[in-house]
Structures are given as structure tokens and as C-alpha cells.
mmCIF file of all heavy atoms in Angstrom:
data_model
loop_
_atom_site.group_PDB
_atom_site.id
_atom_site.type_symbol
_atom_site.label_atom_id
_atom_site.label_comp_id
_atom_site.label_asym_id
_atom_site.label_seq_id
_atom_site.Cartn_x
_atom_site.Cartn_y
_atom_site.Cartn_z
ATOM 1 N N ASN A 1 -100.088 -34.746 -81.143
ATOM 2 C CA ASN A 1 -99.857 -34.019 -82.386
ATOM 3 C C ASN A 1 -100.907 -34.415 -83.425
ATOM 4 O O ASN A 1 -101.700 -35.350 -83.230
ATOM 5 C CB ASN A 1 -98.426 -34.239 -82.903
ATOM 6 C CG ASN A 1 -98.144 -35.690 -83.282
ATOM 7 O OD1 ASN A 1 -98.846 -36.285 -84.086
ATOM 8 N ND2 ASN A 1 -97.087 -36.265 -82.692
ATOM 9 N N LEU A 2 -100.914 -33.697 -84.548
ATOM 10 C CA LEU A 2 -101.959 -33.876 -85.556
ATOM 11 C C LEU A 2 -102.023 -35.304 -86.073
ATOM 12 O O LEU A 2 -103.104 -35.884 -86.214
ATOM 13 C CB LEU A 2 -101.720 -32.909 -86.717
ATOM 14 C CG LEU A 2 -102.634 -33.086 -87.939
ATOM 15 C CD1 LEU A 2 -104.095 -32.876 -87.563
ATOM 16 C CD2 LEU A 2 -102.218 -32.126 -89.053
ATOM 17 N N MET A 3 -100.863 -35.898 -86.358
ATOM 18 C CA MET A 3 -100.871 -37.248 -86.910
ATOM 19 C C MET A 3 -101.448 -38.236 -85.907
ATOM 20 O O MET A 3 -102.243 -39.119 -86.256
ATOM 21 C CB MET A 3 -99.460 -37.646 -87.328
ATOM 22 C CG MET A 3 -99.393 -38.800 -88.300
ATOM 23 S SD MET A 3 -97.712 -39.122 -88.908
ATOM 24 C CE MET A 3 -97.519 -37.744 -90.049
ATOM 25 N N GLN A 4 -101.082 -38.096 -84.628
ATOM 26 C CA GLN A 4 -101.651 -38.968 -83.602
ATOM 27 C C GLN A 4 -103.165 -38.807 -83.513
ATOM 28 O O GLN A 4 -103.901 -39.792 -83.393
ATOM 29 C CB GLN A 4 -101.026 -38.643 -82.244
ATOM 30 C CG GLN A 4 -99.570 -39.035 -82.086
ATOM 31 C CD GLN A 4 -99.013 -38.580 -80.750
ATOM 32 O OE1 GLN A 4 -99.384 -37.522 -80.235
ATOM 33 N NE2 GLN A 4 -98.121 -39.364 -80.170
ATOM 34 N N VAL A 5 -103.627 -37.577 -83.573
ATOM 35 C CA VAL A 5 -105.064 -37.316 -83.467
ATOM 36 C C VAL A 5 -105.817 -37.982 -84.619
ATOM 37 O O VAL A 5 -106.837 -38.658 -84.406
ATOM 38 C CB VAL A 5 -105.340 -35.798 -83.451
ATOM 39 C CG1 VAL A 5 -106.837 -35.517 -83.623
ATOM 40 C CG2 VAL A 5 -104.847 -35.187 -82.140
ATOM 41 N N VAL A 6 -105.319 -37.818 -85.838
ATOM 42 C CA VAL A 6 -105.987 -38.418 -86.996
ATOM 43 C C VAL A 6 -105.996 -39.933 -86.875
ATOM 44 O O VAL A 6 -107.030 -40.592 -87.106
ATOM 45 C CB VAL A 6 -105.307 -37.981 -88.305
ATOM 46 C CG1 VAL A 6 -105.876 -38.751 -89.494
ATOM 47 C CG2 VAL A 6 -105.485 -36.484 -88.519
ATOM 48 N N HIS A 7 -104.877 -40.523 -86.498
ATOM 49 C CA HIS A 7 -104.815 -41.981 -86.380
ATOM 50 C C HIS A 7 -105.726 -42.488 -85.268
ATOM 51 O O HIS A 7 -106.373 -43.540 -85.418
ATOM 52 C CB HIS A 7 -103.373 -42.420 -86.132
ATOM 53 C CG HIS A 7 -102.456 -42.122 -87.281
ATOM 54 N ND1 HIS A 7 -101.081 -42.114 -87.171
ATOM 55 C CD2 HIS A 7 -102.725 -41.792 -88.570
ATOM 56 C CE1 HIS A 7 -100.547 -41.817 -88.342
ATOM 57 N NE2 HIS A 7 -101.521 -41.605 -89.201
ATOM 58 N N GLU A 8 -105.816 -41.756 -84.169
ATOM 59 C CA GLU A 8 -106.719 -42.163 -83.096
ATOM 60 C C GLU A 8 -108.182 -42.031 -83.505
ATOM 61 O O GLU A 8 -109.023 -42.852 -83.130
ATOM 62 C CB GLU A 8 -106.447 -41.345 -81.838
ATOM 63 C CG GLU A 8 -105.252 -41.825 -81.034
ATOM 64 C CD GLU A 8 -105.485 -43.220 -80.494
ATOM 65 O OE1 GLU A 8 -106.158 -43.374 -79.460
ATOM 66 O OE2 GLU A 8 -104.987 -44.185 -81.136
ATOM 67 N N GLU A 9 -108.498 -41.005 -84.283
ATOM 68 C CA GLU A 9 -109.875 -40.867 -84.768
ATOM 69 C C GLU A 9 -110.234 -42.023 -85.699
ATOM 70 O O GLU A 9 -111.355 -42.541 -85.652
ATOM 71 C CB GLU A 9 -110.048 -39.514 -85.459
ATOM 72 C CG GLU A 9 -110.052 -38.348 -84.473
ATOM 73 C CD GLU A 9 -110.119 -36.984 -85.139
ATOM 74 O OE1 GLU A 9 -109.878 -36.886 -86.364
ATOM 75 O OE2 GLU A 9 -110.396 -36.005 -84.416
ATOM 76 N N LEU A 10 -109.287 -42.451 -86.516
ATOM 77 C CA LEU A 10 -109.513 -43.625 -87.363
ATOM 78 C C LEU A 10 -109.673 -44.878 -86.505
ATOM 79 O O LEU A 10 -110.563 -45.706 -86.747
ATOM 80 C CB LEU A 10 -108.346 -43.810 -88.333
ATOM 81 C CG LEU A 10 -108.288 -42.865 -89.529
ATOM 82 C CD1 LEU A 10 -106.900 -42.879 -90.151
ATOM 83 C CD2 LEU A 10 -109.339 -43.253 -90.559
ATOM 84 N N ARG A 11 -108.815 -45.022 -85.509
ATOM 85 C CA ARG A 11 -108.822 -46.230 -84.677
ATOM 86 C C ARG A 11 -110.112 -46.368 -83.879
ATOM 87 O O ARG A 11 -110.553 -47.484 -83.562
ATOM 88 C CB ARG A 11 -107.608 -46.211 -83.740
ATOM 89 C CG ARG A 11 -107.264 -47.558 -83.122
ATOM 90 C CD ARG A 11 -105.951 -47.503 -82.359
ATOM 91 N NE ARG A 11 -106.054 -46.703 -81.152
ATOM 92 C CZ ARG A 11 -106.454 -47.169 -79.980
ATOM 93 N NH1 ARG A 11 -106.796 -48.441 -79.850
ATOM 94 N NH2 ARG A 11 -106.507 -46.390 -78.925
ATOM 95 N N SER A 12 -110.731 -45.234 -83.559
ATOM 96 C CA SER A 12 -111.929 -45.263 -82.714
ATOM 97 C C SER A 12 -113.231 -45.326 -83.511
ATOM 98 O O SER A 12 -114.314 -45.302 -82.918
ATOM 99 C CB SER A 12 -111.953 -44.026 -81.810
ATOM 100 O OG SER A 12 -112.148 -42.841 -82.582
ATOM 101 N N LEU A 13 -113.146 -45.415 -84.835
ATOM 102 C CA LEU A 13 -114.366 -45.500 -85.632
ATOM 103 C C LEU A 13 -115.165 -46.751 -85.272
ATOM 104 O O LEU A 13 -114.597 -47.809 -85.017
ATOM 105 C CB LEU A 13 -114.029 -45.527 -87.123
ATOM 106 C CG LEU A 13 -113.699 -44.194 -87.792
ATOM 107 C CD1 LEU A 13 -113.135 -44.423 -89.202
ATOM 108 C CD2 LEU A 13 -114.934 -43.304 -87.863
ATOM 109 N N PRO A 14 -116.500 -46.659 -85.296
ATOM 110 C CA PRO A 14 -117.302 -47.856 -85.036
ATOM 111 C C PRO A 14 -117.269 -48.850 -86.190
ATOM 112 O O PRO A 14 -117.504 -50.040 -86.002
ATOM 113 C CB PRO A 14 -118.714 -47.294 -84.834
ATOM 114 C CG PRO A 14 -118.724 -46.002 -85.585
ATOM 115 C CD PRO A 14 -117.343 -45.445 -85.456
ATOM 116 N N GLN A 15 -116.975 -48.356 -87.399
ATOM 117 C CA GLN A 15 -116.879 -49.241 -88.551
ATOM 118 C C GLN A 15 -115.607 -50.092 -88.486
ATOM 119 O O GLN A 15 -114.643 -49.741 -87.797
ATOM 120 C CB GLN A 15 -116.879 -48.438 -89.855
ATOM 121 C CG GLN A 15 -118.185 -47.736 -90.168
ATOM 122 C CD GLN A 15 -118.272 -46.333 -89.617
ATOM 123 O OE1 GLN A 15 -117.417 -45.917 -88.828
ATOM 124 N NE2 GLN A 15 -119.291 -45.589 -90.011
ATOM 125 N N VAL A 16 -115.605 -51.202 -89.195
ATOM 126 C CA VAL A 16 -114.407 -52.021 -89.351
ATOM 127 C C VAL A 16 -113.540 -51.382 -90.429
ATOM 128 O O VAL A 16 -114.015 -51.083 -91.526
ATOM 129 C CB VAL A 16 -114.764 -53.464 -89.741
ATOM 130 C CG1 VAL A 16 -113.497 -54.267 -90.062
ATOM 131 C CG2 VAL A 16 -115.554 -54.136 -88.623
ATOM 132 N N THR A 17 -112.272 -51.145 -90.118
ATOM 133 C CA THR A 17 -111.358 -50.504 -91.063
ATOM 134 C C THR A 17 -110.325 -51.517 -91.549
ATOM 135 O O THR A 17 -109.740 -52.256 -90.757
ATOM 136 C CB THR A 17 -110.652 -49.300 -90.434
ATOM 137 O OG1 THR A 17 -109.993 -49.705 -89.219
ATOM 138 C CG2 THR A 17 -111.656 -48.190 -90.115
ATOM 139 N N ILE A 18 -110.110 -51.545 -92.863
ATOM 140 C CA ILE A 18 -109.239 -52.533 -93.510
ATOM 141 C C ILE A 18 -108.333 -51.799 -94.485
ATOM 142 O O ILE A 18 -108.763 -50.870 -95.175
ATOM 143 C CB ILE A 18 -110.069 -53.591 -94.275
ATOM 144 C CG1 ILE A 18 -111.063 -54.297 -93.341
ATOM 145 C CG2 ILE A 18 -109.165 -54.614 -94.956
ATOM 146 C CD1 ILE A 18 -112.026 -55.229 -94.065
ATOM 147 N N ALA A 19 -107.070 -52.235 -94.570
ATOM 148 C CA ALA A 19 -106.149 -51.682 -95.566
ATOM 149 C C ALA A 19 -105.711 -52.774 -96.521
ATOM 150 O O ALA A 19 -105.416 -53.906 -96.118
ATOM 151 C CB ALA A 19 -104.924 -51.079 -94.892
ATOM 152 N N LYS A 20 -105.649 -52.415 -97.798
ATOM 153 C CA LYS A 20 -105.093 -53.267 -98.846
ATOM 154 C C LYS A 20 -103.746 -52.660 -99.231
ATOM 155 O O LYS A 20 -103.683 -51.616 -99.867
ATOM 156 C CB LYS A 20 -106.044 -53.309 -100.045
ATOM 157 C CG LYS A 20 -105.638 -54.265 -101.152
ATOM 158 C CD LYS A 20 -106.484 -54.044 -102.402
ATOM 159 C CE LYS A 20 -107.959 -54.292 -102.128
ATOM 160 N NZ LYS A 20 -108.790 -54.065 -103.360
ATOM 161 N N LEU A 21 -102.669 -53.313 -98.813
ATOM 162 C CA LEU A 21 -101.324 -52.763 -98.991
ATOM 163 C C LEU A 21 -100.648 -53.422 -100.192
ATOM 164 O O LEU A 21 -100.251 -54.587 -100.137
ATOM 165 C CB LEU A 21 -100.491 -52.987 -97.724
ATOM 166 C CG LEU A 21 -99.064 -52.459 -97.738
ATOM 167 C CD1 LEU A 21 -99.045 -50.937 -97.900
ATOM 168 C CD2 LEU A 21 -98.333 -52.867 -96.459
ATOM 169 N N THR A 22 -100.500 -52.653 -101.273
ATOM 170 C CA THR A 22 -99.859 -53.162 -102.481
ATOM 171 C C THR A 22 -98.656 -52.311 -102.876
ATOM 172 O O THR A 22 -98.225 -52.350 -104.036
ATOM 173 C CB THR A 22 -100.872 -53.217 -103.643
ATOM 174 O OG1 THR A 22 -101.420 -51.911 -103.859
ATOM 175 C CG2 THR A 22 -102.005 -54.183 -103.336
ATOM 176 N N GLY A 23 -98.140 -51.539 -101.941
ATOM 177 C CA GLY A 23 -96.975 -50.702 -102.192
ATOM 178 C C GLY A 23 -96.229 -50.487 -100.885
ATOM 179 O O GLY A 23 -96.329 -51.291 -99.949
ATOM 180 N N LEU A 24 -95.504 -49.402 -100.791
ATOM 181 C CA LEU A 24 -94.667 -49.118 -99.630
ATOM 182 C C LEU A 24 -95.376 -48.188 -98.646
ATOM 183 O O LEU A 24 -96.093 -47.271 -99.055
ATOM 184 C CB LEU A 24 -93.353 -48.471 -100.081
ATOM 185 C CG LEU A 24 -92.483 -49.312 -101.026
ATOM 186 C CD1 LEU A 24 -91.308 -48.490 -101.527
ATOM 187 C CD2 LEU A 24 -92.003 -50.581 -100.326
ATOM 188 N N ALA A 25 -95.162 -48.442 -97.374
ATOM 189 C CA ALA A 25 -95.696 -47.583 -96.307
ATOM 190 C C ALA A 25 -94.623 -47.470 -95.239
ATOM 191 O O ALA A 25 -94.314 -48.445 -94.560
ATOM 192 C CB ALA A 25 -96.981 -48.158 -95.723
ATOM 193 N N ARG A 26 -94.056 -46.289 -95.112
ATOM 194 C CA ARG A 26 -93.021 -46.068 -94.109
ATOM 195 C C ARG A 26 -93.468 -44.945 -93.166
ATOM 196 O O ARG A 26 -94.297 -44.116 -93.519
ATOM 197 C CB ARG A 26 -91.700 -45.688 -94.767
ATOM 198 C CG ARG A 26 -91.094 -46.733 -95.710
ATOM 199 C CD ARG A 26 -89.778 -46.241 -96.269
ATOM 200 N NE ARG A 26 -89.099 -47.187 -97.138
ATOM 201 C CZ ARG A 26 -89.122 -47.135 -98.473
ATOM 202 N NH1 ARG A 26 -89.815 -46.196 -99.091
ATOM 203 N NH2 ARG A 26 -88.451 -48.022 -99.186
#
């Protein structure tokens, strides 16, 4: 599905990806 595709495209990036979590994520 679309959400899986977007997350997989992010996961496969050659760059290092980092999140700064200062709120809620559900």
C-alpha cells in the first residue's frame, strides 16, 4: 500500500536518516 511504499523508499535512501521526536507519533 501507499504508506508501505513511502516508508520503504525512505528506508532505502543512501543518506543517513534521523528523526528528532519531541511530540507524539502513533
Side-chain angles (χ1 to χ4, degrees):
N1 64 55
L2 173 61
M3 199 174 285
Q4 290 176 325
V5 169
V6 172
H7 295 163
E8 280 296 279
E9 288 176 345
L10 284 163
R11 197 172 69 87
S12 68
L13 281 169
Q15 292 91 350
V16 173
T17 55
I18 303 173
K20 185 191 299 180
L21 181 62
T22 57
L24 300 173
R26 299 181 178 100

